[in-house]
Amino acid sequence: MKTRILPCALMFLTLGASTAFADDVVARSADGGLWLSGGVGLMNIEAHEYVYLGANKASQLDWDTDGVVLYSVSAGADLGRNWHVKGTLQYGRGGDGHMVDYDWVPGFAVDQSLNGWSDRSIHPDTRLDQYFSGAIEIGRNLFIDESSTVSVGGGFKYTEVSWDAFGGSYIYSDGGFRDDIGTLPDGLKGISYEQRIPTIFAGLDGSTSFGRLTLSGGVKGGMTPGIDDKDNHWLTQALVFGDMKPAPVLMLNAAIDYRLTDMASIYLAGNFENVFRERGDMTSIDTSTGVSTLYRNAAGASIKTMSLQMGIRARF
């Protein structure tokens, strides 16, 4: 993104369309009160970032990373009196990344559509630095019998993700409409991105069994108290920190589990998460001079994830 409109862009992230295929190994205490699981899978991540000039869009960055290797571990405990607690950690790296950066410079942009851009750069060499997510949840069973359960719960989740974009090609509008065409050297770092998302959530989970088959699912809602992010444009010496306003969050999950033996089962699970877009303030720092500038309500951010996981679950 060129810095003649605003010194830099606030990152907007859509962590999207993540797909994991993993083997889970679960250890459980003799009374079933404690459990531990771990798995390895694959994740696809999509990201978007927006900067605004008033009501108009000034910049949009679209990030896409496929085939991220995702490691996860979960632990839980039954607390008695129908209460239970669960914690999950996930870490991902690698994958095949791609990023496109659009700008709408007044006087050159055709319109506000994605095809109406004045400036665009494409970065096929975009690398996911890391993905991290951790959550803790406490719940209570509202209903339980031999085949079904319904529980209510809530908790806290924190997600952090970062990228680096290298090299690429560009088309800019300098003296005229899209008149400046060129490439950036391979391996030259252009943009680094980092986003941090805290989320508070609550909702319902349930399951029901039909012989060896168990169906389960849940719906949760909540808020992120504010998304924080950092965007470093290395070639233009622009470092931006964004501070989003609170935004609503929706989380859905579903799974089907088929018990092969008393000790093992196979399962298919899917998850969806959406943190709805919200605008906020951004602070841009010229790293060559140290001059800092605050832009009110100039950034927008949201997160969306989808996952599909297959695996083997064992109990001990």
Side-chain angles (χ1 to χ4, degrees):
M1 184 187 71
K2 302 175 73 176
T3 57
R4 59 188 170 200
I5 311 175
L6 292 177
C8 190
L10 168 71
M11 286 305 200
F12 158 81
L13 169 67
T14 301
L15 278 177
S18 67
T19 303
F21 298 91
D23 288 339
D24 272 12
V25 179
V26 178
R28 183 176 288 273
S29 62
D31 63 0
L34 301 172
W35 58 268
L36 175 67
S37 69
V40 180
L42 297 177
M43 171 178 278
N44 299 340
I45 304 175
E46 296 178 1
H48 306 281
E49 137 189 26
Y50 297 93
V51 171
Y52 297 94
L53 285 173
N56 292 327
K57 183 168 56 175
S59 182
Q60 175 179 331
L61 280 77
D62 296 340
W63 303 77
D64 185 6
T65 303
D66 300 333
V68 178
V69 179
L70 183 68
Y71 305 90
S72 63
V73 61
S74 297
D78 296 328
L79 304 178
R81 297 183 179 272
N82 288 322
W83 287 92
H84 52 269
V85 65
K86 174 184 177 181
T88 301
L89 296 175
Q90 293 183 321
Y91 179 78
R93 293 199 68 179
D96 181 18
H98 189 269
M99 190 270 281
V100 183
D101 179 355
Y102 302 91
D103 289 326
W104 288 263
V105 177
F108 291 109
V110 177
D111 53 39
Q112 284 284 293
S113 70
L114 197 61
N115 292 325
W117 52 270
S118 62
D119 300 59
R120 186 189 69 187
S121 61
I122 301 176
H123 307 270
D125 185 8
T126 296
R127 309 170 194 175
L128 181 71
D129 181 44
Q130 68 172 357
Y131 167 84
F132 169 81
S133 180
I136 186 167
E137 179 181 358
I138 187 169
R140 188 178 192 277
N141 294 329
L142 299 178
F143 170 83
I144 184 169
D145 63 15
E146 293 182 354
S147 61
S148 302
T149 62
V150 177
S151 65
V152 62
F156 175 81
K157 181 178 181 180
Y158 176 81
T159 301
E160 186 171 310
V161 62
S162 58
W163 281 272
D164 294 307
F166 298 85
S169 61
Y170 61 86
I171 302 175
Y172 295 152
S173 298
D174 286 328
F177 180 65
R178 301 181 184 176
D179 62 331
D180 185 4
I181 301 174
T183 60
L184 299 171
D186 292 342
L188 178 65
K189 184 186 291 188
I191 304 172
S192 295
Y193 159 84
E194 178 181 332
Q195 187 159 10
R196 298 167 297 281
I197 311 105
T199 302
I200 301 169
F201 63 88
L204 293 170
D205 290 287
S207 67
T208 185
S209 298
F210 307 91
R212 293 177 177 270
L213 189 69
T214 299
L215 304 177
S216 60
V219 55
K220 298 179 177 66
M223 296 286 293
T224 172
I227 298 173
D228 296 324
D229 63 13
K230 181 171 68 173
D231 174 6
N232 197 336
H233 276 55
W234 298 95
L235 304 181
T236 53
Q237 294 80 48
L239 176 63
V240 166
F241 295 91
D243 183 13
M244 298 299 102
K245 299 174 183 177
V249 180
L250 173 67
M251 290 184 277
L252 306 173
N253 64 275
I256 180 170
D257 185 290
Y258 184 77
R259 180 166 52 86
L260 299 174
T261 69
D262 290 340
M263 305 296 290
S265 62
I266 58 174
Y267 70 92
L268 174 68
N271 294 273
F272 172 83
E273 180 175 342
N274 186 31
V275 180
F276 293 88
R277 187 195 308 181
E278 185 55 81
R279 292 176 67 165
D281 298 335
M282 53 185 282
T283 300
S284 179
I285 301 173
D286 186 330
T287 57
S288 64
T289 64
V291 175
S292 176
T293 306
L294 175 65
Y295 297 92
R296 293 292 187 184
N297 205 36
S302 71
I303 304 167
K304 184 183 296 179
T305 70
M306 288 189 298
S307 67
L308 180 65
Q309 180 170 330
M310 296 178 61
I312 299 174
R313 195 181 304 274
R315 298 179 183 274
F316 303 92

